[in-house]
Amino acid sequence: MSNYLVAMEAAWLVRDVEDIDDAIGVAVSSAGKRLNEKGKEYVDVEVGVTGCPACGEPFDSGFIAADTALVGLLLEIDIFNADSVEHASRIAKSEVGGALRDVPLSVIDVIETDPDEDDDGQ
């Protein structure tokens, strides 16, 4: 059994906004609130990044059309004692997906972490 850090991308819809920075703030705040209400305070939420198709430079993942924004969020969660990368992914999607019903989620990265990482060397 191993420990993993699972990173997921969520597509968050924000209505009645004119500014992308406002949309990003609302998306991060709303996602955090819904996770906290379900006791998932341990899930890290931040705005995702998208690479520019022309130059490859990363920028905040958000798009506005008709006063409606689609914001890409990055969600990270530590999964302990999973059997495999696939098992950790399923656990993460179940944990986060239960709190964020009707929000599209996609696992973008799974990293095996050192089980002694938080240990003081004893």
Side-chain angles (χ1 to χ4, degrees), residues 48-110:
V49 293
T50 301
C52 173
C55 67
E57 189 70 26
F59 59 90
D60 289 345
S61 186
F63 176 76
I64 294 180
D67 293 333
T68 303
L70 178 63
V71 179
L73 296 178
L74 175 65
L75 309 170
E76 292 182 334
I77 182 172
D78 288 309
I79 301 298
F80 302 99
N81 300 321
D83 294 329
S84 64
V85 169
E86 293 80 18
H87 187 221
S89 296
R90 286 194 310 270
I91 293 169
K93 283 186 82 168
S94 175
E95 284 285 308
V96 175
L100 302 180
R101 294 249 182 246
D102 301 322
V103 175
L105 290 175
S106 175
V107 174
I108 55 174
D109 199 11
V110 181

